Amino acid sequence: MTAIGFRSHDHAQCVSTTLARAERYCVEKKLKFTAIRRRSLEILLAEHRALGAYDLLAVLGEEGLGTAPPVAYRALDFLTSAGFAHKIEGLNAYIACAHLGADHAPAFLICTSCKSVAEAEADATEGQLGEVARATGFTIRRTVIEALGLCPNCQPEAPCA
Amino acid sequence: MTAIGFRSHDHAQCVSTTLARAERYCVEKKLKFTAIRRRSLEILLAEHRALGAYDLLAVLGEEGLGTAPPVAYRALDFLTSAGFAHKIEGLNAYIACAHLGADHAPAFLICTSCKSVAEAEADATEGQLGEVARATGFTIRRTVIEALGLCPNCQPEAPCA
DNA sequence: GGTTGATATGTTATACCATAACACTTAGCA
DNA sequence: TGCTAAGTGTTATGGTATAACATATCAACC
Ligand SMILES: [Zn+2]
Ligand SMILES: [Zn+2]
Ligand SMILES: [Zn+2]
Ligand SMILES: [Zn+2]
C-alpha cells in the first residue's frame, strides 16, 4: 500500500524500473511496445499526475508522433489494457500505473488542489463493494475506486487564521 | 445496505416515497423544487438505471420543458447538490438516489449487460480508501466507488455449455 | 522471395458530454 | 414599488471519445 505520489522519491529510478517492467511484460506476452506506445507511457510516467488524452496528444504532436485524437486514444487503450496505465474516471484523465506488473485493482487518492494522484492497491473481493456484491449475487469485473480531497502537502493551514 | 435495483419491488411506492422525501427536504431547506427539477427527478426515478444528460434532455424536450443542454445540466446540478441524484462517473450518466434523505457516500454496482444500477451505502472513513488516506495524511472530500460487472439476472448460463 | 493475414497507423469526420455567457423572468422582501 | 437573488431561455463553444476507411508494417507460411 505504498501511496507513492505524495512523497518525494527517486523518480528517475521509479520511471526506469517501470519502463523496464513494461518492456519485459511485452516480451513475455508478445505485445508490441511500439514507439508511440512507449513514448506515451513515458509521458504519463513523467509526473504522478493524471493527463487528459488531449494533453498526451499535444506532446506526441510536438514530437511528430501524431496529431489526430485516435493516436492518443489507441495508445491509451493499449496501455490500459496491458495494465500499464489507468483511467481516472472522476477526471476523464489517465495515469501511469504505479504498481506495474502486479495484477491489481487500483484505488486512487486524487488531490483536487495540486492534481497529484496516489495509487493504492485495493482488493475488489474485500471492502464494502465485495460485501454487497456477494450479498446480492453480483459478479464484479472491474472497480472504480477514487477519493477526491487534499493531499498531505495541500492541507489547510493552521486554524489560527 | 439494500441493493435495490436488481430485485423486483413495489416500484410505484419506491417512486412516490422518494418524491415525497424530496419534497419535504426542499421545504425544510427552503430549496425550490420547480417543475423542471421535479420532473427530472421523476424521469430518473422511472427506472433504476443511469441516464445520460442528453437522454434526460430528450424527455424534457418532448414535454416542452426545454431543449438546450443547460436545462438538463442545471436540473442535474440541483438534484446532485441536494443529494437527490448521483453521477455515475464510469458511465457519464446520472441516477436517482436510492437512499434519499440519508447523508451518505454512495457505492454502485453497475450491470454492464442490462445497465441496471444498484446503490449501496459506503462509509468513506472505512474500507481501503479510508485506511490509505489515514496512513498518508490525505483528507477525503468525496469518493467515487463503482463496480462494473454482471447483476444476478445477467449471470452467465450454466457451465455445461 | 512472394503471399497472406493480423496488427498498427494515418486521416477525416462526427458523435457525445459539458459549460460559458448573456438576456430575460420570476419570487421574495425592504 | 423597487431591489435583489435565483431560475430560465438561448446561443455558442469547448472538451472527450469513437466510427470508418485507407495505408503501412511485420511475421508466418508456402
Ligand atoms: Zn515516481
Ligand atoms: Zn495536493
Ligand atoms: Zn424502485
Ligand atoms: Zn444485468
Side-chain angles (χ1 to χ4, degrees):
Chain A
M1 187 201 309
T2 59
I4 217 169
F6 297 150
R7 311 206 136 268
S8 66
H9 59 283
D10 183 344
H11 191 56
Q13 159 143 25
C14 166
V15 168
S16 63
T17 64
T18 301
L19 278 173
R21 277 188 213 158
E23 202 91 55
R24 213 178 49 177
Y25 181 89
C26 287
V27 171
E28 277 173 15
K29 302 277 186 177
K30 298 199 196 306
L31 298 174
K32 297 182 186 174
F33 203 33
T34 64
I36 294 178
R37 293 169 176 179
R38 185 195 172 90
R39 186 66 192 124
S40 295
L41 179 56
E42 287 175 2
I43 291 164
L44 291 181
L45 274 170
E47 293 178 72
H48 292 277
R49 296 205 307 129
L51 255 61
Y54 283 71
D55 296 331
L56 169 61
L57 183 59
V59 180
L60 293 176
E62 286 172 6
E63 303 179 359
L65 290 171
T67 58
V71 171
Y73 283 101
R74 284 169 183 157
L76 290 168
D77 275 352
F78 173 83
L79 295 176
T80 52
S81 297
F84 297 171
H86 304 291
K87 181 172 185 184
I88 306 291
E89 296 288 351
L91 300 176
N92 292 320
Y94 303 82
I95 189 163
C97 176
H99 305 104
L100 203 157
D103 189 24
H104 62 292
F108 300 98
L109 300 178
I110 303 157
C111 181
T112 53
S113 173
C114 69
K115 312 293 182 192
S116 63
V117 174
E119 178 182 349
E121 300 190 37
D123 182 346
T125 66
E126 311 228 337
Q128 289 136 338
L129 274 181
E131 279 172 35
V132 180
R134 268 192 299 281
T136 57
F138 187 93
T139 306
I140 295 178
R141 275 228 212 286
R142 188 173 88 89
T143 57
V144 176
I145 301 179
E146 302 171 4
L148 303 172
L150 295 177
C151 80
N153 304 321
C154 295
Q155 294 297 313
E157 288 309 315
C160 55
Chain B
M1 185 201 312
T2 59
I4 217 170
F6 298 151
R7 312 205 134 268
S8 67
H9 58 282
D10 183 344
H11 191 56
Q13 159 144 22
C14 167
V15 168
S16 64
T17 63
T18 302
L19 277 173
R21 276 189 213 156
E23 202 91 53
R24 212 177 51 179
Y25 182 89
C26 287
V27 171
E28 277 174 14
K29 301 278 185 175
K30 298 200 197 305
L31 299 175
K32 298 181 185 175
F33 203 32
T34 65
I36 294 178
R37 292 168 176 180
R38 184 193 174 90
R39 186 66 191 121
S40 294
L41 179 55
E42 287 175 2
I43 292 164
L44 291 182
L45 274 171
E47 293 178 74
H48 293 278
R49 297 205 305 129
L51 257 61
Y54 283 71
D55 296 332
L56 169 62
L57 181 60
V59 180
L60 292 175
E62 287 172 6
E63 303 180 0
L65 289 172
T67 58
V71 172
Y73 283 100
R74 284 169 184 157
L76 289 168
D77 275 353
F78 173 83
L79 296 176
T80 53
S81 297
F84 297 171
H86 304 292
K87 181 174 186 183
I88 306 291
E89 297 288 350
L91 300 177
N92 291 319
Y94 303 82
I95 190 164
C97 176
H99 305 105
L100 203 157
D103 189 23
H104 63 293
F108 300 97
L109 301 179
I110 303 157
C111 180
T112 53
S113 172
C114 69
K115 314 291 183 194
S116 63
V117 175
E119 178 181 348
E121 300 189 37
D123 181 346
T125 65
E126 310 228 338
Q128 290 135 336
L129 275 180
E131 281 172 34
V132 181
R134 269 192 299 281
T136 57
F138 186 93
T139 307
I140 295 178
R141 276 229 209 287
R142 188 172 87 89
T143 57
V144 176
I145 301 180
E146 302 172 3
L148 304 171
L150 294 177
C151 80
N153 305 319
C154 296
Q155 294 297 313
E157 289 309 315
C160 54

